[in-house]
Amino acid sequence: MSTDARKRRICFPITSRAYYGRSQLLIRKLQDHPAVDLELMLGGSIMLDKYSRHISDDIKKGGFTISASLFNVIEGGNHVAMAKTACLTALEATNSLYTADPDVVVICGDRFEQLAIAMAAAYLNKTIAHIEGGDLTGSIDESVRHAITKLAHIHFVTNDDAKRRVLLMGEDPKYVFNTGSLDVERVACVNADITTKELGTYGVGHDVDVTKPFLTVIQHPVTTEPDNKQHLETTFRALAALDMPIVWFWPNPDAGTGEMSEMLRHFREHHEAATEKMRFITNLPADQFIALLKRTACVVGNSSAGIKECSYLGTPVVDIGGRQQGRLSADNVVRTGYSADEVRAAVTKQLAHGRYAPSHIYFKPDTSQSMVDVLTSVDLYTQKRFHEVL
Amino acid sequence: MSTDARKRRICFPITSRAYYGRSQLLIRKLQDHPAVDLELMLGGSIMLDKYSRHISDDIKKGGFTISASLFNVIEGGNHVAMAKTACLTALEATNSLYTADPDVVVICGDRFEQLAIAMAAAYLNKTIAHIEGGDLTGSIDESVRHAITKLAHIHFVTNDDAKRRVLLMGEDPKYVFNTGSLDVERVACVNADITTKELGTYGVGHDVDVTKPFLTVIQHPVTTEPDNKQHLETTFRALAALDMPIVWFWPNPDAGTGEMSEMLRHFREHHEAATEKMRFITNLPADQFIALLKRTACVVGNSSAGIKECSYLGTPVVDIGGRQQGRLSADNVVRTGYSADEVRAAVTKQLAHGRYAPSHIYFKPDTSQSMVDVLTSVDLYTQKRFHEVL
Amino acid sequence: MSTDARKRRICFPITSRAYYGRSQLLIRKLQDHPAVDLELMLGGSIMLDKYSRHISDDIKKGGFTISASLFNVIEGGNHVAMAKTACLTALEATNSLYTADPDVVVICGDRFEQLAIAMAAAYLNKTIAHIEGGDLTGSIDESVRHAITKLAHIHFVTNDDAKRRVLLMGEDPKYVFNTGSLDVERVACVNADITTKELGTYGVGHDVDVTKPFLTVIQHPVTTEPDNKQHLETTFRALAALDMPIVWFWPNPDAGTGEMSEMLRHFREHHEAATEKMRFITNLPADQFIALLKRTACVVGNSSAGIKECSYLGTPVVDIGGRQQGRLSADNVVRTGYSADEVRAAVTKQLAHGRYAPSHIYFKPDTSQSMVDVLTSVDLYTQKRFHEVL
Amino acid sequence: MSTDARKRRICFPITSRAYYGRSQLLIRKLQDHPAVDLELMLGGSIMLDKYSRHISDDIKKGGFTISASLFNVIEGGNHVAMAKTACLTALEATNSLYTADPDVVVICGDRFEQLAIAMAAAYLNKTIAHIEGGDLTGSIDESVRHAITKLAHIHFVTNDDAKRRVLLMGEDPKYVFNTGSLDVERVACVNADITTKELGTYGVGHDVDVTKPFLTVIQHPVTTEPDNKQHLETTFRALAALDMPIVWFWPNPDAGTGEMSEMLRHFREHHEAATEKMRFITNLPADQFIALLKRTACVVGNSSAGIKECSYLGTPVVDIGGRQQGRLSADNVVRTGYSADEVRAAVTKQLAHGRYAPSHIYFKPDTSQSMVDVLTSVDLYTQKRFHEVL
């Protein structure tokens, strides 16, 4: 706990590798700010070796204060495990927030643990800042994101559509800021590249030559749909037919992950021919991930990185199914349903097209600095009031 | 778990005495409906003897199926206890919802445990119906209510203002129903009276003659304010000066309750003269509570019963402070700040005025039947989409 | 977390007011020891204002490091609340022990939270020291105490009988130390007195003149018996008939507390004549409590203070029922069943007898220093082995 | 909950695949007994697909009543995950035991979740029966087993040494029964065989011909030792040098499992030559497991199956390290330390020796029926008393 009463205490809960990548610039600037006491709270998949070994090392090297390291992921990879993980996270976050006693808790995005932490923070009467509200997607994320908005006091949105919706929902215009996307700011700042050899040090499977055309697959479960396993199989069959090298990311630990991961393991064991050009990776450090997006011929799946990071990079994307449904996208995205023919046709089309011109729909310069400016200077409040738009 | 696949399984979590009173007509009709399997989940203060002895007896006599009885209230009466109570409730509700496997979970109002249960239900991919969304108030309830709205799929609002706001927030107009208030429907249906003798069997302190003018005080903590104890003391001093009989209800178990309850106990121990016309009650059965509202000369405090039930009854109300701020109210309500002079002046004015003409702002006939009709016939869905109003 | 690897890190979980009183000399010496990093973990009833306001102030003034402050008491005062309180305590203690990473966790006595913490510590592979193993009593404490013994690595027992039993249970003789009772060491050290006026600042009810004969009642629930309420009523009726001033302590928050507390409140409300010489107290600071034991004519109930502290003081004790059954006691104790006649007769007999000669069955000089010596010098180990006595 | 008050309600918590195998005969007999209401509580690794798909199917087919299905395994495979899994299990078991309200809870063995459930049951004042108390081993199991003994009221031990120790620990001789081992009773009853083809349907890796000599490796983490990964590597190198077919079981989900599993995966990915005669299996149905033990040339590792089941079967066993230290064993067991040379020499020696004569140290006829007889007829009690042996 700070002994310097004049500093603003800011708590930043990081519960997944994606959030850490996204937040690096912001937490570094907060850490270096003389008027801020920053405390990181680590939980969720960040604590589990298999996903994030590199991350906890990074954080330690970065000199950050870690107020809590919570093991709170319930095994199962199904809905009940996801729900209980969120509840346990909230329970433990309550203790940590009570001890750390921050002035502001920064909630990021729309993952289920983040709503749980927001709920705990709200009950503890903390001011909540929310990054990336107002977007539209499918999956349970759609509900979670807007529920967090209604608990939050300060809103950092990434685009003007999102801003309009956050205001429609009754938030105070004085506290809604379109700062652009942190993910895209990172993309714009990072100059990294990745070699075939470096890529070969991550994950399992066969080497993928990054100097030749290859696909990148990131397909997460859609928690509100029952057929995640079949949808993954469809993608697999569609892409296997193309006979291209593929870097395939394991799915996020949401409901449905278990059966999807099992299917990937099944492909590896029983379809050796089909997977002999594939590499399976759980996690890349954020810089290498961006480098990969720059090099890949096409991103396939349903990751927000396809919509956001790739809009700025001009990387062709085939977005499958409902997970990103409704999300603002640039020309680089072709959307498809779950049929193998559709997916294959869309990928073929994108490969033929090649890279797109960069789009700035999610980009504003100095995103993280703008957030720091707000977080350090804005008047904090806790009692929310509904602002009706006319 | 139902063996009859054609019945709709509905889960109704009841976590406070107020919710039970409010819901009686609805759960009775659901229980009697041939196409419904109803399961009650009991938790929160409902399980604690001191608040709700009469209620659990009622429920057992009513023949309801109780899928879970959860002891999940953390002692402390402060913010951290409130937060952890919510989190523990959600954790345990997850197990119960997983086992009971309902089609619909009915969330009621804006208490903190209800958001926690809504969160668990959302992660379990259940359809959520929410009663009383769209209203405005102060306290943490304001945030909680709207966050539940953004997790819910079916909305039963109590007035047209609330409907407008729920639609602004992006909910699907096909699933937003203004059915009026369950509380007010009960008031309209109940013909009960209460005698001085009956009242004397509840709570502690001195007898209050219900045939002569008396005040009813219901002042709960405002979780987003630090001065609940002082505000209660102000009310006490203001009313003690009036030298009238008072029925005083203990506060709800939210953050701030502990210090308020302690102050009430202090008044009783150390201000015997001032409390010698006062009776202190934790709970009345719902019918007797309505009877009391009919007989009392004025309701003082910050209970929603003053705004809703009393609007229909025409009972004069002095609403103190920010807890009901922004809530639609009828002519019977005079609002004041926290100064003792203001409160005393407002009560004096209301006593001089006497009863008001009934208002129907929260009333529609057949509220509970309308809800049953929707719950049994509406198409259920889980993937939410934001509906932008023009 | 210590940065000085040579210091032994010792964690001391304090979960009730009694444990704090008992441990004061020990934790002060540990805190002052140059080779020890002491961390206190506060939880259970210690965190709840109504029981322990004075204690948390004391601890803060004492300059101790508090590694965790856990609100983990589930309301209900019944078995399920007790069980869940223990489980939640263990869950939260796991996080705290993981973060604090102590070398030794000191578990004290036989309360249900302490077994839970011992279990968590054992799974975390910590060395566990246990104070007060090997005694015999009734209630669930009997099981809990011996189960802790079988998880613990270092044993501080208070008497030779207890030592024999701990060895019988298979513990390593090199790690079993009869250091005498911390409670009795405190009694021997404390020179405090209490005045009528001071006593009057604690609790509620009528003043008790400490210069004239008065009784002290401490009757806790026996968790393995169903009739705690009736047994309390019996004690009340037996003592009311004696028409003596009484200082009556509220029961500990174990299963059965709720109904016992309610009964005491009922006596106060509805038996004003019978309670007009009674004062009801939740907590006295440890020194004043000892002073009270020195002054009282007789201690009635089932507290271990009657058996241990009063053995040294020679204070007459009437020990009722099964809670202390089997515990080594000195001549000052008269044991009775639950009949009002028995209780009244025993009290009358003790009043006639007056004070007893001090006994040293639980006393050894320098108890706390002996413990410190062991804790700082003994070789630590984690893998237990059963030592069979011949 | 039973409606027939004359039936004895027995709750059987099953938290691992091993416990299910062990308990099959017992729970079948309890289920069929006219005076028993049996309820199974499922939790731990039993709920996770990867370990126990076959088991939950079996249980459903068996017509058992399942009072709770708890997802309560915290990911991490380390000490803090193990501790929290136990605590969460206890928390949830409390709710289930409260609802099911059994007369007896049957705790089995020494796994960490079972102590947690025993603790919850003890606080709920249930009579606890414990199977397999009094044995000696290493690892945290050693502490856990004896702590359960001190919470339990009825003891089913598997051998006379164990009985002596349970009595030494103060248990009532009237409630200590040497019924022999359930595991061994199953072995004696099961007539199953397993074919190469059947074995090939489980797990991953290469086929193992069961008609030719092969090794079976079951090496679990020793939670009180830091070097589980290295010890596994030692075993791997020792056995790889023997160039024999191996059926290798994945370790139990205790602390240390994560790094051990990762090492096994590493072997598979990066030591293809060395693993080309190996098959890796998470789970076999109990009958097939016994069949495998009958056919294997030697069991290597630290499983209790090597000590108990194999004693009756006469299967040669090389028991490595401290996990089974102190456990009563027959001639079929050769014990070694963790050096590769020792392990290889011991296996070579056992292969040269071949099968042993059956031993009855853990065997009594009708084990499960004896337990049923006790569970249905013995007087139940809850207040424990220490019985001192002379």
Side-chain angles (χ1 to χ4, degrees), chain B residues 346-377:
Chain B
V347 174
T348 306
K349 183 180 153 197
Q350 288 285 45
L351 292 174
H353 181 286
R355 306 194 74 74
Y356 288 78
S359 158
H360 281 200
I361 52 172
Y362 285 105
F363 177 71
K364 284 191 188 294
D366 299 321
T367 300
S368 53
Q369 187 57 51
S370 305
M371 289 179 177
V372 170
D373 293 346
V374 170
L375 287 171
T376 53
S377 67

Side-chain angles (χ1 to χ4, degrees), chain B residues 45-259:
Chain B
S45 58
I46 275 283
M47 296 303 294
L48 302 174
D49 279 358
K50 63 184 175 190
Y51 287 110
S52 56
R53 170 162 313 153
H54 313 284
I55 294 175
S56 57
D57 286 354
D58 265 25
I59 290 175
K60 275 175 212 152
K61 274 186 238 151
F64 295 103
T65 302
I66 299 176
S67 65
S69 298
L70 305 172
F71 287 88
N72 48 28
V73 177
I74 309 278
E75 276 197 64
N78 55 15
H79 285 98
V80 70
M82 183 168 76
K84 288 174 70 173
T85 297
C87 300
L88 186 59
T89 302
L91 188 64
E92 301 186 335
T94 300
N95 286 331
S96 303
L97 291 174
Y98 173 74
T99 304
D101 195 24
D103 301 302
V104 185
V105 179
V106 184
I107 298 296
C108 197
D110 47 29
R111 275 186 63 78
F112 56 98
E113 312 99 333
Q114 297 277 324
L115 172 58
I117 298 172
M119 186 183 81
Y123 295 153
L124 289 168
N125 231 7
K126 302 301 176 194
T127 300
I128 297 169
H130 183 213
I131 297 174
E132 299 212 345
D135 280 356
L136 301 187
T137 64
S139 206
I140 187 65
D141 307 353
E142 171 71 7
S143 300
V144 166
R145 187 183 316 107
H146 302 318
I148 295 174
T149 291
K150 292 309 300 174
L151 295 174
H153 305 82
I154 302 169
H155 307 272
F156 297 115
V157 302
T158 67
N159 60 84
D160 285 330
D161 276 17
K163 181 169 186 177
R164 189 184 66 248
R165 279 183 295 262
V166 168
L167 293 175
L168 270 179
M169 283 190 277
E171 295 307 298
D172 184 344
K174 281 189 306 190
Y175 287 91
V176 183
F177 307 92
N178 178 0
T179 51
S181 158
L182 283 170
D183 296 301
V184 174
E185 184 190 25
R186 282 219 79 222
V187 169
C189 295
V190 166
N191 228 336
D193 200 358
I194 190 167
T195 64
T196 299
K197 193 175 161 196
E198 281 170 341
L199 182 63
T201 63
Y202 297 101
V204 298
H206 299 272
D207 280 343
V208 168
D209 183 343
V210 298
T211 65
K212 298 190 180 150
F214 67 95
L215 303 177
T216 297
V217 183
I218 317 174
Q219 188 160 341
H220 298 303
V222 184
T223 62
T224 45
E225 297 180 358
D227 302 320
N228 290 296
K229 192 170 153 188
Q230 289 76 354
H231 295 160
L232 186 73
E233 188 174 5
T234 299
T235 302
F236 180 81
R237 296 200 184 285
L239 300 186
L242 292 173
D243 198 30
M244 281 184 69
I246 299 181
V247 176
W248 200 303
F249 284 83
W250 296 90
N252 275 347
D254 292 327
T257 290
E259 52 178 24

Side-chain angles (χ1 to χ4, degrees), chain A residues 105-380:
Chain A
V105 179
V106 184
I107 298 295
C108 198
D110 47 29
R111 275 186 63 77
F112 55 97
E113 313 98 333
Q114 296 278 323
L115 172 57
I117 298 172
M119 185 182 82
Y123 295 153
L124 288 167
N125 231 8
K126 303 300 176 193
T127 300
I128 297 169
H130 183 213
I131 296 174
E132 299 213 341
D135 281 355
L136 301 187
T137 63
S139 206
I140 187 66
D141 307 354
E142 171 72 7
S143 300
V144 166
R145 186 182 316 108
H146 303 318
I148 295 175
T149 291
K150 293 309 301 174
L151 296 174
H153 305 82
I154 302 169
H155 307 271
F156 298 114
V157 301
T158 66
N159 59 84
D160 285 329
D161 276 18
K163 181 168 185 176
R164 188 184 68 249
R165 279 185 294 264
V166 168
L167 294 175
L168 269 179
M169 284 189 275
E171 294 307 297
D172 185 344
K174 282 188 306 188
Y175 288 91
V176 183
F177 306 92
N178 179 359
T179 51
S181 159
L182 283 171
D183 296 299
V184 175
E185 184 191 24
R186 282 219 77 223
V187 169
C189 294
V190 166
N191 227 336
D193 200 357
I194 189 166
T195 64
T196 299
K197 193 175 161 196
E198 281 171 342
L199 182 62
T201 64
Y202 297 101
V204 297
H206 299 273
D207 279 344
V208 168
D209 182 344
V210 298
T211 66
K212 298 190 179 148
F214 67 93
L215 303 178
T216 298
V217 183
I218 316 174
Q219 187 160 342
H220 298 304
V222 184
T223 62
T224 45
E225 297 180 359
D227 302 321
N228 288 297
K229 193 171 154 187
Q230 289 77 354
H231 295 162
L232 185 72
E233 189 174 4
T234 298
T235 301
F236 180 81
R237 296 198 185 285
L239 300 185
L242 292 172
D243 197 30
M244 281 184 70
I246 299 181
V247 177
W248 200 304
F249 284 83
W250 296 91
N252 276 346
D254 292 325
T257 290
E259 51 179 24
M260 291 177 80
S261 295
E262 196 178 322
M263 171 131 291
L264 286 179
R265 278 191 291 267
H266 176 82
F267 292 151
R268 289 195 63 213
E269 294 290 339
H270 300 288
H271 296 74
E272 295 190 16
T275 58
E276 73 180 5
K277 294 186 173 174
M278 297 184 186
R279 182 154 206 91
F280 295 85
I281 293 181
T282 50
N283 187 30
L284 278 184
D287 285 8
Q288 277 87 335
F289 181 65
I290 293 170
L292 195 80
L293 294 182
K294 285 182 187 168
R295 283 192 168 272
T296 192
C298 182
V299 171
V300 183
N302 57 20
S303 166
S304 66
I307 312 290
K308 293 194 289 182
E309 283 89 328
C310 293
S311 72
Y312 185 86
L313 293 170
T315 304
V317 169
V318 173
D319 183 71
I320 303 174
R323 191 164 180 266
Q324 301 298 337
Q325 185 169 342
R327 203 191 276 274
L328 179 70
S329 62
D331 294 343
N332 68 310
V333 177
V334 172
R335 292 175 186 273
T336 76
Y338 290 117
S339 103
D341 287 346
E342 263 189 279
V343 171
R344 194 166 42 235
V347 174
T348 305
K349 183 179 153 198
Q350 288 285 45
L351 292 174
H353 181 285
R355 305 195 74 76
Y356 289 78
S359 158
H360 281 201
I361 52 173
Y362 285 106
F363 177 71
K364 284 193 187 293
D366 300 322
T367 300
S368 53
Q369 187 57 50
S370 306
M371 289 179 177
V372 170
D373 292 346
V374 170
L375 287 171
T376 54
S377 67
V378 77
D379 284 342
L380 302 183

Side-chain angles (χ1 to χ4, degrees), chain D residues 266-277:
Chain D
H266 175 82
F267 293 151
R268 290 196 63 214
E269 294 290 338
H270 299 287
H271 295 75
E272 294 190 16
T275 59
E276 72 179 5
K277 293 186 174 173

Side-chain angles (χ1 to χ4, degrees), chain B residues 20 56 110 170 231 251 273 325 328 346 381:
Chain B
Y20 178 66
S56 57
D110 47 29
H231 295 160
Q325 186 168 342
L328 179 71
Y381 70 107

